[in-house]
Amino acid sequence: MKKILTAIFTASIIAFSSPTVFSAEEIVLTNNGGVPSLRGLVEISDVNKAEALKKVPREQHLIDRNYVQQPPLIPHSIRGYQVNLNANKCLSCHSFKNAGAMGATKVSVTHFITREGTTLSDVSPRRYFCLQCHVTQADAKPLVDNSFTPVDSLR
Ligand code: HEC
Ligand code: HEC
């Protein structure tokens, strides 16, 4: 009986607080194989409360690339920019035609090449959905440490 009570008590501690350091007993009592994840020590079936969305700065400096083939990060907010069958807001500033007047970087010439290697007179369908590759950046703490260092030529 005492054991069961202790178990219930410990389980409720796990359920109602978000501990960062877990005792061996807590780990055994959780049904996820004893693996605390980035979500904390929670049951796989539990749904965590969603984090608040990070705020993307409206404008920031161009962000250095870490490797040569990296799609450059988007240094501005893209709130409300639509990319669909009828319109591509990104190209209203980044197309070859508009970039000069808008002070934006032209899309790369690689974006005109189809997967068969043919160069088209406009952005290739495989480069149409810009956000497939280009993403905005917010000031967020990395979830996991990373020891990646850029190649010498980019340092
Ligand atoms: C209102 C005009 C405008 C729109 C719309 C726009 N951009 Fe930009 N974008 C800019 C300007 C201006 C810069 C900064 C150029 C500079 O500072 O040299 C920029 C920079 C960038 C860069 C960085 C380029 C580099 O060399 O580092 C990327 C990537 C980018 N935008 C992608 C996008 C994507 C994807 C969209 C659509 C979701 C988009 N932009 C919509 C104006 C725009
Ligand atoms: C499949 C991935 C992919 C898609 C989709 C894509 N890009 Fe890129 N983009 C890249 C990569 C990779 C680079 C860097 C290498 C290069 O120039 O090809 C790049 C480079 C750029 C640059 C910098 C060019 C320069 O001269 O420095 C701009 C601006 C850009 N892309 C805008 C866009 C816009 C706008 C769209 C949507 C119309 C788009 N990209 C779609 C992968 C992509």
Side-chain angles (χ1 to χ4, degrees), residues 65 68-72 83 88-91 93-95 104-111 123-134:
R65 298 182 206 187
V68 187
Q69 307 88 342
Q70 182 194 322
V83 177
N88 187 321
K89 180 71 180 171
C90 313
L91 289 175
C93 292
H94 288 282
S95 68
T105 328
K106 288 189 178 79
V107 287
S108 167
V109 283
T110 58
H111 292 32
V123 169
S124 163
R126 67 175 183 158
R127 290 280 188 273
Y128 186 80
F129 293 101
C130 320
L131 298 171
Q132 227 177 299
C133 306
H134 298 281

PDB file of all heavy atoms in Angstrom, residues 65 68-72 83 88-91 93-95 104-111 123-134, ligand 2:
ATOM      1  N   ARG A  65      26.425  33.115 -44.402  1.00  0.00           N
ATOM      2  CA  ARG A  65      26.160  31.700 -44.673  1.00  0.00           C
ATOM      3  C   ARG A  65      27.211  30.853 -43.970  1.00  0.00           C
ATOM      4  O   ARG A  65      28.340  31.294 -43.787  1.00  0.00           O
ATOM      5  CB  ARG A  65      26.209  31.431 -46.178  1.00  0.00           C
ATOM      6  CG  ARG A  65      25.139  32.219 -46.902  1.00  0.00           C
ATOM      7  CD  ARG A  65      25.134  31.946 -48.382  1.00  0.00           C
ATOM      8  NE  ARG A  65      24.567  33.114 -49.082  1.00  0.00           N
ATOM      9  CZ  ARG A  65      24.309  33.145 -50.372  1.00  0.00           C
ATOM     10  NH1 ARG A  65      24.554  32.111 -51.121  1.00  0.00           N
ATOM     11  NH2 ARG A  65      23.808  34.232 -50.916  1.00  0.00           N
ATOM     12  N   VAL A  68      28.888  26.852 -48.375  1.00  0.00           N
ATOM     13  CA  VAL A  68      28.751  27.484 -49.673  1.00  0.00           C
ATOM     14  C   VAL A  68      27.371  27.294 -50.299  1.00  0.00           C
ATOM     15  O   VAL A  68      26.791  28.214 -50.852  1.00  0.00           O
ATOM     16  CB  VAL A  68      29.856  26.975 -50.630  1.00  0.00           C
ATOM     17  CG1 VAL A  68      29.829  27.752 -51.937  1.00  0.00           C
ATOM     18  CG2 VAL A  68      31.217  27.115 -49.989  1.00  0.00           C
ATOM     19  N   GLN A  69      26.814  26.113 -50.208  1.00  0.00           N
ATOM     20  CA  GLN A  69      25.525  25.858 -50.878  1.00  0.00           C
ATOM     21  C   GLN A  69      24.322  26.206 -50.003  1.00  0.00           C
ATOM     22  O   GLN A  69      23.201  25.839 -50.319  1.00  0.00           O
ATOM     23  CB  GLN A  69      25.413  24.383 -51.281  1.00  0.00           C
ATOM     24  CG  GLN A  69      26.543  23.832 -52.096  1.00  0.00           C
ATOM     25  CD  GLN A  69      27.687  23.294 -51.235  1.00  0.00           C
ATOM     26  OE1 GLN A  69      27.809  23.602 -50.061  1.00  0.00           O
ATOM     27  NE2 GLN A  69      28.546  22.510 -51.841  1.00  0.00           N
ATOM     28  N   GLN A  70      24.535  26.868 -48.905  1.00  0.00           N
ATOM     29  CA  GLN A  70      23.419  27.152 -48.004  1.00  0.00           C
ATOM     30  C   GLN A  70      22.432  28.147 -48.613  1.00  0.00           C
ATOM     31  O   GLN A  70      22.839  29.186 -49.123  1.00  0.00           O
ATOM     32  CB  GLN A  70      23.947  27.731 -46.692  1.00  0.00           C
ATOM     33  CG  GLN A  70      22.840  27.999 -45.683  1.00  0.00           C
ATOM     34  CD  GLN A  70      23.295  28.875 -44.528  1.00  0.00           C
ATOM     35  OE1 GLN A  70      24.405  28.749 -44.051  1.00  0.00           O
ATOM     36  NE2 GLN A  70      22.433  29.769 -44.095  1.00  0.00           N
ATOM     37  N   PRO A  71      21.142  27.845 -48.594  1.00  0.00           N
ATOM     38  CA  PRO A  71      20.183  28.871 -49.000  1.00  0.00           C
ATOM     39  C   PRO A  71      20.278  30.017 -47.981  1.00  0.00           C
ATOM     40  O   PRO A  71      20.169  29.764 -46.786  1.00  0.00           O
ATOM     41  CB  PRO A  71      18.824  28.161 -48.879  1.00  0.00           C
ATOM     42  CG  PRO A  71      19.129  26.703 -48.719  1.00  0.00           C
ATOM     43  CD  PRO A  71      20.505  26.601 -48.165  1.00  0.00           C
ATOM     44  N   PRO A  72      20.543  31.247 -48.435  1.00  0.00           N
ATOM     45  CA  PRO A  72      20.676  32.323 -47.448  1.00  0.00           C
ATOM     46  C   PRO A  72      19.420  32.460 -46.592  1.00  0.00           C
ATOM     47  O   PRO A  72      18.310  32.230 -47.073  1.00  0.00           O
ATOM     48  CB  PRO A  72      20.909  33.569 -48.301  1.00  0.00           C
ATOM     49  CG  PRO A  72      20.623  33.189 -49.708  1.00  0.00           C
ATOM     50  CD  PRO A  72      20.749  31.714 -49.803  1.00  0.00           C
ATOM     51  N   VAL A  83       2.645  32.971 -51.152  1.00  0.00           N
ATOM     52  CA  VAL A  83       3.226  32.297 -52.302  1.00  0.00           C
ATOM     53  C   VAL A  83       2.249  31.194 -52.666  1.00  0.00           C
ATOM     54  O   VAL A  83       2.099  30.228 -51.932  1.00  0.00           O
ATOM     55  CB  VAL A  83       4.608  31.684 -51.946  1.00  0.00           C
ATOM     56  CG1 VAL A  83       5.163  30.912 -53.138  1.00  0.00           C
ATOM     57  CG2 VAL A  83       5.595  32.760 -51.521  1.00  0.00           C
ATOM     58  N   ASN A  88       3.266  35.357 -56.129  1.00  0.00           N
ATOM     59  CA  ASN A  88       4.474  35.055 -55.369  1.00  0.00           C
ATOM     60  C   ASN A  88       5.029  36.378 -54.865  1.00  0.00           C
ATOM     61  O   ASN A  88       5.702  37.109 -55.591  1.00  0.00           O
ATOM     62  CB  ASN A  88       5.505  34.325 -56.242  1.00  0.00           C
ATOM     63  CG  ASN A  88       6.702  33.861 -55.425  1.00  0.00           C
ATOM     64  OD1 ASN A  88       7.167  34.573 -54.537  1.00  0.00           O
ATOM     65  ND2 ASN A  88       7.203  32.674 -55.728  1.00  0.00           N
ATOM     66  N   LYS A  89       4.710  36.684 -53.613  1.00  0.00           N
ATOM     67  CA  LYS A  89       5.111  37.965 -53.025  1.00  0.00           C
ATOM     68  C   LYS A  89       6.635  38.130 -53.033  1.00  0.00           C
ATOM     69  O   LYS A  89       7.152  39.228 -53.269  1.00  0.00           O
ATOM     70  CB  LYS A  89       4.556  38.045 -51.594  1.00  0.00           C
ATOM     71  CG  LYS A  89       4.884  39.322 -50.859  1.00  0.00           C
ATOM     72  CD  LYS A  89       4.110  40.514 -51.403  1.00  0.00           C
ATOM     73  CE  LYS A  89       4.474  41.764 -50.618  1.00  0.00           C
ATOM     74  NZ  LYS A  89       3.943  42.977 -51.197  1.00  0.00           N
ATOM     75  N   CYS A  90       7.354  37.055 -52.798  1.00  0.00           N
ATOM     76  CA  CYS A  90       8.819  37.135 -52.751  1.00  0.00           C
ATOM     77  C   CYS A  90       9.373  37.682 -54.074  1.00  0.00           C
ATOM     78  O   CYS A  90      10.271  38.516 -54.085  1.00  0.00           O
ATOM     79  CB  CYS A  90       9.433  35.776 -52.477  1.00  0.00           C
ATOM     80  SG  CYS A  90       8.661  34.865 -51.127  1.00  0.00           S
ATOM     81  N   LEU A  91       8.798  37.177 -55.176  1.00  0.00           N
ATOM     82  CA  LEU A  91       9.309  37.598 -56.478  1.00  0.00           C
ATOM     83  C   LEU A  91       8.953  39.051 -56.801  1.00  0.00           C
ATOM     84  O   LEU A  91       9.574  39.661 -57.663  1.00  0.00           O
ATOM     85  CB  LEU A  91       8.806  36.658 -57.580  1.00  0.00           C
ATOM     86  CG  LEU A  91       9.445  35.264 -57.550  1.00  0.00           C
ATOM     87  CD1 LEU A  91       8.815  34.355 -58.596  1.00  0.00           C
ATOM     88  CD2 LEU A  91      10.957  35.340 -57.747  1.00  0.00           C
ATOM     89  N   CYS A  93       9.757  41.394 -55.119  1.00  0.00           N
ATOM     90  CA  CYS A  93      10.977  42.144 -54.784  1.00  0.00           C
ATOM     91  C   CYS A  93      12.232  41.457 -55.303  1.00  0.00           C
ATOM     92  O   CYS A  93      13.198  42.110 -55.645  1.00  0.00           O
ATOM     93  CB  CYS A  93      11.110  42.295 -53.278  1.00  0.00           C
ATOM     94  SG  CYS A  93       9.867  43.367 -52.545  1.00  0.00           S
ATOM     95  N   HIS A  94      12.236  40.126 -55.332  1.00  0.00           N
ATOM     96  CA  HIS A  94      13.484  39.414 -55.611  1.00  0.00           C
ATOM     97  C   HIS A  94      13.654  38.964 -57.059  1.00  0.00           C
ATOM     98  O   HIS A  94      14.711  38.439 -57.409  1.00  0.00           O
ATOM     99  CB  HIS A  94      13.622  38.200 -54.679  1.00  0.00           C
ATOM    100  CG  HIS A  94      13.934  38.569 -53.262  1.00  0.00           C
ATOM    101  ND1 HIS A  94      15.199  38.932 -52.851  1.00  0.00           N
ATOM    102  CD2 HIS A  94      13.147  38.671 -52.171  1.00  0.00           C
ATOM    103  CE1 HIS A  94      15.172  39.217 -51.561  1.00  0.00           C
ATOM    104  NE2 HIS A  94      13.949  39.073 -51.109  1.00  0.00           N
ATOM    105  N   SER A  95      12.631  39.142 -57.909  1.00  0.00           N
ATOM    106  CA  SER A  95      12.798  38.715 -59.305  1.00  0.00           C
ATOM    107  C   SER A  95      13.834  39.630 -59.972  1.00  0.00           C
ATOM    108  O   SER A  95      14.089  40.744 -59.496  1.00  0.00           O
ATOM    109  CB  SER A  95      11.472  38.818 -60.049  1.00  0.00           C
ATOM    110  OG  SER A  95      11.110  40.177 -60.200  1.00  0.00           O
ATOM    111  N   ALA A 104      16.475  44.772 -53.404  1.00  0.00           N
ATOM    112  CA  ALA A 104      16.600  43.406 -52.876  1.00  0.00           C
ATOM    113  C   ALA A 104      17.604  42.610 -53.702  1.00  0.00           C
ATOM    114  O   ALA A 104      17.910  42.971 -54.836  1.00  0.00           O
ATOM    115  CB  ALA A 104      15.237  42.725 -52.899  1.00  0.00           C
ATOM    116  N   THR A 105      18.104  41.529 -53.120  1.00  0.00           N
ATOM    117  CA  THR A 105      19.016  40.638 -53.849  1.00  0.00           C
ATOM    118  C   THR A 105      18.230  39.921 -54.941  1.00  0.00           C
ATOM    119  O   THR A 105      17.126  39.468 -54.701  1.00  0.00           O
ATOM    120  CB  THR A 105      19.558  39.544 -52.885  1.00  0.00           C
ATOM    121  OG1 THR A 105      19.652  40.091 -51.591  1.00  0.00           O
ATOM    122  CG2 THR A 105      20.875  39.010 -53.353  1.00  0.00           C
ATOM    123  N   LYS A 106      18.810  39.819 -56.129  1.00  0.00           N
ATOM    124  CA  LYS A 106      18.147  39.057 -57.201  1.00  0.00           C
ATOM    125  C   LYS A 106      18.158  37.575 -56.828  1.00  0.00           C
ATOM    126  O   LYS A 106      19.124  37.113 -56.225  1.00  0.00           O
ATOM    127  CB  LYS A 106      18.935  39.193 -58.508  1.00  0.00           C
ATOM    128  CG  LYS A 106      18.844  40.537 -59.180  1.00  0.00           C
ATOM    129  CD  LYS A 106      19.496  40.385 -60.574  1.00  0.00           C
ATOM    130  CE  LYS A 106      19.438  41.643 -61.401  1.00  0.00           C
ATOM    131  NZ  LYS A 106      20.449  42.637 -61.040  1.00  0.00           N
ATOM    132  N   VAL A 107      17.110  36.827 -57.214  1.00  0.00           N
ATOM    133  CA  VAL A 107      17.179  35.375 -57.022  1.00  0.00           C
ATOM    134  C   VAL A 107      18.420  34.883 -57.762  1.00  0.00           C
ATOM    135  O   VAL A 107      18.840  35.478 -58.748  1.00  0.00           O
ATOM    136  CB  VAL A 107      15.945  34.605 -57.566  1.00  0.00           C
ATOM    137  CG1 VAL A 107      14.729  34.817 -56.704  1.00  0.00           C
ATOM    138  CG2 VAL A 107      15.680  34.937 -59.008  1.00  0.00           C
ATOM    139  N   SER A 108      18.952  33.796 -57.288  1.00  0.00           N
ATOM    140  CA  SER A 108      20.153  33.264 -57.904  1.00  0.00           C
ATOM    141  C   SER A 108      19.827  32.711 -59.294  1.00  0.00           C
ATOM    142  O   SER A 108      18.715  32.222 -59.519  1.00  0.00           O
ATOM    143  CB  SER A 108      20.674  32.154 -56.992  1.00  0.00           C
ATOM    144  OG  SER A 108      21.638  31.398 -57.629  1.00  0.00           O
ATOM    145  N   VAL A 109      20.777  32.788 -60.234  1.00  0.00           N
ATOM    146  CA  VAL A 109      20.532  32.242 -61.580  1.00  0.00           C
ATOM    147  C   VAL A 109      20.270  30.733 -61.528  1.00  0.00           C
ATOM    148  O   VAL A 109      19.614  30.189 -62.421  1.00  0.00           O
ATOM    149  CB  VAL A 109      21.708  32.506 -62.565  1.00  0.00           C
ATOM    150  CG1 VAL A 109      21.684  33.943 -63.045  1.00  0.00           C
ATOM    151  CG2 VAL A 109      23.043  32.140 -61.966  1.00  0.00           C
ATOM    152  N   THR A 110      20.735  30.081 -60.467  1.00  0.00           N
ATOM    153  CA  THR A 110      20.466  28.635 -60.347  1.00  0.00           C
ATOM    154  C   THR A 110      18.962  28.372 -60.236  1.00  0.00           C
ATOM    155  O   THR A 110      18.506  27.271 -60.504  1.00  0.00           O
ATOM    156  CB  THR A 110      21.123  28.050 -59.080  1.00  0.00           C
ATOM    157  OG1 THR A 110      20.609  28.757 -57.932  1.00  0.00           O
ATOM    158  CG2 THR A 110      22.625  28.196 -59.104  1.00  0.00           C
ATOM    159  N   HIS A 111      18.201  29.398 -59.870  1.00  0.00           N
ATOM    160  CA  HIS A 111      16.763  29.222 -59.664  1.00  0.00           C
ATOM    161  C   HIS A 111      15.966  29.135 -60.971  1.00  0.00           C
ATOM    162  O   HIS A 111      14.767  28.926 -60.963  1.00  0.00           O
ATOM    163  CB  HIS A 111      16.211  30.364 -58.804  1.00  0.00           C
ATOM    164  CG  HIS A 111      16.712  30.306 -57.390  1.00  0.00           C
ATOM    165  ND1 HIS A 111      17.942  29.833 -57.053  1.00  0.00           N
ATOM    166  CD2 HIS A 111      16.138  30.668 -56.213  1.00  0.00           C
ATOM    167  CE1 HIS A 111      18.120  29.887 -55.744  1.00  0.00           C
ATOM    168  NE2 HIS A 111      17.036  30.399 -55.208  1.00  0.00           N
ATOM    169  N   VAL A 123      11.653  31.819 -63.047  1.00  0.00           N
ATOM    170  CA  VAL A 123      11.974  30.878 -61.963  1.00  0.00           C
ATOM    171  C   VAL A 123      11.394  29.490 -62.251  1.00  0.00           C
ATOM    172  O   VAL A 123      10.234  29.352 -62.629  1.00  0.00           O
ATOM    173  CB  VAL A 123      11.426  31.435 -60.624  1.00  0.00           C
ATOM    174  CG1 VAL A 123      11.502  30.394 -59.527  1.00  0.00           C
ATOM    175  CG2 VAL A 123      12.204  32.676 -60.220  1.00  0.00           C
ATOM    176  N   SER A 124      12.216  28.486 -62.083  1.00  0.00           N
ATOM    177  CA  SER A 124      11.817  27.107 -62.331  1.00  0.00           C
ATOM    178  C   SER A 124      10.803  26.658 -61.270  1.00  0.00           C
ATOM    179  O   SER A 124      10.890  27.075 -60.114  1.00  0.00           O
ATOM    180  CB  SER A 124      13.074  26.237 -62.278  1.00  0.00           C
ATOM    181  OG  SER A 124      12.745  24.887 -62.113  1.00  0.00           O
ATOM    182  N   PRO A 125       9.849  25.811 -61.683  1.00  0.00           N
ATOM    183  CA  PRO A 125       8.845  25.346 -60.705  1.00  0.00           C
ATOM    184  C   PRO A 125       9.479  24.781 -59.436  1.00  0.00           C
ATOM    185  O   PRO A 125       8.936  24.925 -58.360  1.00  0.00           O
ATOM    186  CB  PRO A 125       8.091  24.253 -61.464  1.00  0.00           C
ATOM    187  CG  PRO A 125       8.262  24.593 -62.899  1.00  0.00           C
ATOM    188  CD  PRO A 125       9.603  25.268 -63.019  1.00  0.00           C
ATOM    189  N   ARG A 126      10.633  24.167 -59.550  1.00  0.00           N
ATOM    190  CA  ARG A 126      11.208  23.571 -58.335  1.00  0.00           C
ATOM    191  C   ARG A 126      11.823  24.624 -57.409  1.00  0.00           C
ATOM    192  O   ARG A 126      12.308  24.294 -56.334  1.00  0.00           O
ATOM    193  CB  ARG A 126      12.238  22.500 -58.700  1.00  0.00           C
ATOM    194  CG  ARG A 126      13.474  23.042 -59.361  1.00  0.00           C
ATOM    195  CD  ARG A 126      14.484  21.945 -59.583  1.00  0.00           C
ATOM    196  NE  ARG A 126      15.683  22.511 -60.162  1.00  0.00           N
ATOM    197  CZ  ARG A 126      16.858  21.941 -60.090  1.00  0.00           C
ATOM    198  NH1 ARG A 126      17.005  20.797 -59.471  1.00  0.00           N
ATOM    199  NH2 ARG A 126      17.908  22.512 -60.650  1.00  0.00           N
ATOM    200  N   ARG A 127      11.866  25.858 -57.861  1.00  0.00           N
ATOM    201  CA  ARG A 127      12.357  26.938 -56.997  1.00  0.00           C
ATOM    202  C   ARG A 127      11.250  27.949 -56.674  1.00  0.00           C
ATOM    203  O   ARG A 127      11.497  29.007 -56.141  1.00  0.00           O
ATOM    204  CB  ARG A 127      13.501  27.695 -57.690  1.00  0.00           C
ATOM    205  CG  ARG A 127      14.785  26.904 -57.816  1.00  0.00           C
ATOM    206  CD  ARG A 127      15.553  26.924 -56.508  1.00  0.00           C
ATOM    207  NE  ARG A 127      16.872  26.350 -56.629  1.00  0.00           N
ATOM    208  CZ  ARG A 127      17.151  25.056 -56.488  1.00  0.00           C
ATOM    209  NH1 ARG A 127      16.185  24.205 -56.224  1.00  0.00           N
ATOM    210  NH2 ARG A 127      18.370  24.620 -56.602  1.00  0.00           N
ATOM    211  N   TYR A 128      10.022  27.605 -57.027  1.00  0.00           N
ATOM    212  CA  TYR A 128       8.926  28.572 -56.872  1.00  0.00           C
ATOM    213  C   TYR A 128       8.532  28.781 -55.415  1.00  0.00           C
ATOM    214  O   TYR A 128       8.230  29.889 -54.987  1.00  0.00           O
ATOM    215  CB  TYR A 128       7.719  28.106 -57.685  1.00  0.00           C
ATOM    216  CG  TYR A 128       6.593  29.100 -57.715  1.00  0.00           C
ATOM    217  CD1 TYR A 128       6.626  30.191 -58.577  1.00  0.00           C
ATOM    218  CD2 TYR A 128       5.502  28.963 -56.864  1.00  0.00           C
ATOM    219  CE1 TYR A 128       5.601  31.116 -58.600  1.00  0.00           C
ATOM    220  CE2 TYR A 128       4.471  29.889 -56.880  1.00  0.00           C
ATOM    221  CZ  TYR A 128       4.528  30.965 -57.748  1.00  0.00           C
ATOM    222  OH  TYR A 128       3.512  31.875 -57.759  1.00  0.00           O
ATOM    223  N   PHE A 129       8.533  27.698 -54.628  1.00  0.00           N
ATOM    224  CA  PHE A 129       8.095  27.813 -53.231  1.00  0.00           C
ATOM    225  C   PHE A 129       9.301  28.126 -52.348  1.00  0.00           C
ATOM    226  O   PHE A 129       9.911  27.242 -51.751  1.00  0.00           O
ATOM    227  CB  PHE A 129       7.346  26.546 -52.801  1.00  0.00           C
ATOM    228  CG  PHE A 129       6.050  26.411 -53.536  1.00  0.00           C
ATOM    229  CD1 PHE A 129       5.934  25.557 -54.611  1.00  0.00           C
ATOM    230  CD2 PHE A 129       4.959  27.199 -53.185  1.00  0.00           C
ATOM    231  CE1 PHE A 129       4.743  25.468 -55.326  1.00  0.00           C
ATOM    232  CE2 PHE A 129       3.760  27.126 -53.885  1.00  0.00           C
ATOM    233  CZ  PHE A 129       3.657  26.256 -54.953  1.00  0.00           C
ATOM    234  N   CYS A 130       9.624  29.409 -52.297  1.00  0.00           N
ATOM    235  CA  CYS A 130      10.856  29.901 -51.681  1.00  0.00           C
ATOM    236  C   CYS A 130      11.062  29.373 -50.258  1.00  0.00           C
ATOM    237  O   CYS A 130      12.183  29.077 -49.857  1.00  0.00           O
ATOM    238  CB  CYS A 130      10.849  31.418 -51.644  1.00  0.00           C
ATOM    239  SG  CYS A 130      10.168  32.183 -53.119  1.00  0.00           S
ATOM    240  N   LEU A 131       9.973  29.245 -49.507  1.00  0.00           N
ATOM    241  CA  LEU A 131      10.118  28.914 -48.092  1.00  0.00           C
ATOM    242  C   LEU A 131      10.431  27.446 -47.848  1.00  0.00           C
ATOM    243  O   LEU A 131      10.652  27.030 -46.713  1.00  0.00           O
ATOM    244  CB  LEU A 131       8.857  29.331 -47.323  1.00  0.00           C
ATOM    245  CG  LEU A 131       8.624  30.842 -47.387  1.00  0.00           C
ATOM    246  CD1 LEU A 131       7.273  31.203 -46.819  1.00  0.00           C
ATOM    247  CD2 LEU A 131       9.726  31.575 -46.639  1.00  0.00           C
ATOM    248  N   GLN A 132      10.440  26.679 -48.944  1.00  0.00           N
ATOM    249  CA  GLN A 132      10.916  25.308 -48.849  1.00  0.00           C
ATOM    250  C   GLN A 132      12.379  25.314 -48.408  1.00  0.00           C
ATOM    251  O   GLN A 132      12.843  24.380 -47.772  1.00  0.00           O
ATOM    252  CB  GLN A 132      10.854  24.727 -50.253  1.00  0.00           C
ATOM    253  CG  GLN A 132      10.250  23.381 -50.425  1.00  0.00           C
ATOM    254  CD  GLN A 132      10.253  23.066 -51.913  1.00  0.00           C
ATOM    255  OE1 GLN A 132       9.643  23.766 -52.730  1.00  0.00           O
ATOM    256  NE2 GLN A 132      10.965  22.042 -52.284  1.00  0.00           N
ATOM    257  N   CYS A 133      13.117  26.326 -48.817  1.00  0.00           N
ATOM    258  CA  CYS A 133      14.562  26.361 -48.550  1.00  0.00           C
ATOM    259  C   CYS A 133      14.982  27.579 -47.731  1.00  0.00           C
ATOM    260  O   CYS A 133      15.920  27.494 -46.949  1.00  0.00           O
ATOM    261  CB  CYS A 133      15.336  26.370 -49.852  1.00  0.00           C
ATOM    262  SG  CYS A 133      14.898  25.011 -50.948  1.00  0.00           S
ATOM    263  N   HIS A 134      14.351  28.714 -47.943  1.00  0.00           N
ATOM    264  CA  HIS A 134      14.750  29.934 -47.242  1.00  0.00           C
ATOM    265  C   HIS A 134      13.862  30.126 -46.017  1.00  0.00           C
ATOM    266  O   HIS A 134      12.639  30.037 -46.125  1.00  0.00           O
ATOM    267  CB  HIS A 134      14.624  31.152 -48.158  1.00  0.00           C
ATOM    268  CG  HIS A 134      15.523  31.064 -49.361  1.00  0.00           C
ATOM    269  ND1 HIS A 134      16.871  31.350 -49.308  1.00  0.00           N
ATOM    270  CD2 HIS A 134      15.272  30.700 -50.638  1.00  0.00           C
ATOM    271  CE1 HIS A 134      17.402  31.176 -50.502  1.00  0.00           C
ATOM    272  NE2 HIS A 134      16.465  30.777 -51.335  1.00  0.00           N
TER     273      HIS A 134
HETATM  274  C1  HEC B   2      15.150  24.122 -53.456  1.00  0.00           C
HETATM  275  C2  HEC B   2      15.682  25.176 -52.609  1.00  0.00           C
HETATM  276  C3  HEC B   2      15.427  26.622 -52.955  1.00  0.00           C
HETATM  277  C4  HEC B   2      14.238  27.232 -53.326  1.00  0.00           C
HETATM  278  C5  HEC B   2      12.871  26.587 -53.468  1.00  0.00           C
HETATM  279  C6  HEC B   2      14.550  28.627 -53.489  1.00  0.00           C
HETATM  280  N1  HEC B   2      15.876  28.858 -53.226  1.00  0.00           N
HETATM  281 FE1  HEC B   2      16.809  30.649 -53.248  1.00  0.00          FE
HETATM  282  N2  HEC B   2      18.599  29.746 -52.918  1.00  0.00           N
HETATM  283  C7  HEC B   2      18.766  28.405 -52.665  1.00  0.00           C
HETATM  284  C8  HEC B   2      20.192  28.126 -52.526  1.00  0.00           C
HETATM  285  C9  HEC B   2      20.789  26.747 -52.228  1.00  0.00           C
HETATM  286  C10 HEC B   2      20.873  29.345 -52.702  1.00  0.00           C
HETATM  287  C11 HEC B   2      22.396  29.595 -52.651  1.00  0.00           C
HETATM  288  C12 HEC B   2      23.122  28.945 -53.784  1.00  0.00           C
HETATM  289  C13 HEC B   2      22.653  29.471 -55.088  1.00  0.00           C
HETATM  290  O1  HEC B   2      22.880  30.641 -55.377  1.00  0.00           O
HETATM  291  O2  HEC B   2      22.015  28.683 -55.803  1.00  0.00           O
HETATM  292  C14 HEC B   2      19.839  30.361 -52.951  1.00  0.00           C
HETATM  293  C15 HEC B   2      20.088  31.702 -53.160  1.00  0.00           C
HETATM  294  C16 HEC B   2      19.100  32.687 -53.159  1.00  0.00           C
HETATM  295  C17 HEC B   2      19.354  34.118 -53.110  1.00  0.00           C
HETATM  296  C18 HEC B   2      20.721  34.786 -53.030  1.00  0.00           C
HETATM  297  C19 HEC B   2      21.264  35.022 -54.407  1.00  0.00           C
HETATM  298  C20 HEC B   2      22.626  35.646 -54.366  1.00  0.00           C
HETATM  299  O3  HEC B   2      23.042  36.116 -55.434  1.00  0.00           O
HETATM  300  O4  HEC B   2      23.291  35.665 -53.329  1.00  0.00           O
HETATM  301  C21 HEC B   2      18.137  34.737 -53.123  1.00  0.00           C
HETATM  302  C22 HEC B   2      17.868  36.209 -53.080  1.00  0.00           C
HETATM  303  C23 HEC B   2      17.128  33.696 -53.200  1.00  0.00           C
HETATM  304  N3  HEC B   2      17.753  32.467 -53.225  1.00  0.00           N
HETATM  305  C24 HEC B   2      15.771  33.924 -53.256  1.00  0.00           C
HETATM  306  C25 HEC B   2      14.824  32.946 -53.497  1.00  0.00           C
HETATM  307  C26 HEC B   2      13.429  33.223 -53.784  1.00  0.00           C
HETATM  308  C27 HEC B   2      12.781  34.586 -53.821  1.00  0.00           C
HETATM  309  C28 HEC B   2      12.829  32.005 -53.997  1.00  0.00           C
HETATM  310  C29 HEC B   2      11.392  31.722 -54.404  1.00  0.00           C
HETATM  311  C30 HEC B   2      10.983  32.309 -55.664  1.00  0.00           C
HETATM  312  C31 HEC B   2      13.849  30.967 -53.796  1.00  0.00           C
HETATM  313  N4  HEC B   2      15.043  31.587 -53.526  1.00  0.00           N
HETATM  314  C32 HEC B   2      13.623  29.594 -53.870  1.00  0.00           C
HETATM  315  C33 HEC B   2      17.778  27.463 -52.557  1.00  0.00           C
HETATM  316  C34 HEC B   2      16.450  27.661 -52.899  1.00  0.00           C
END
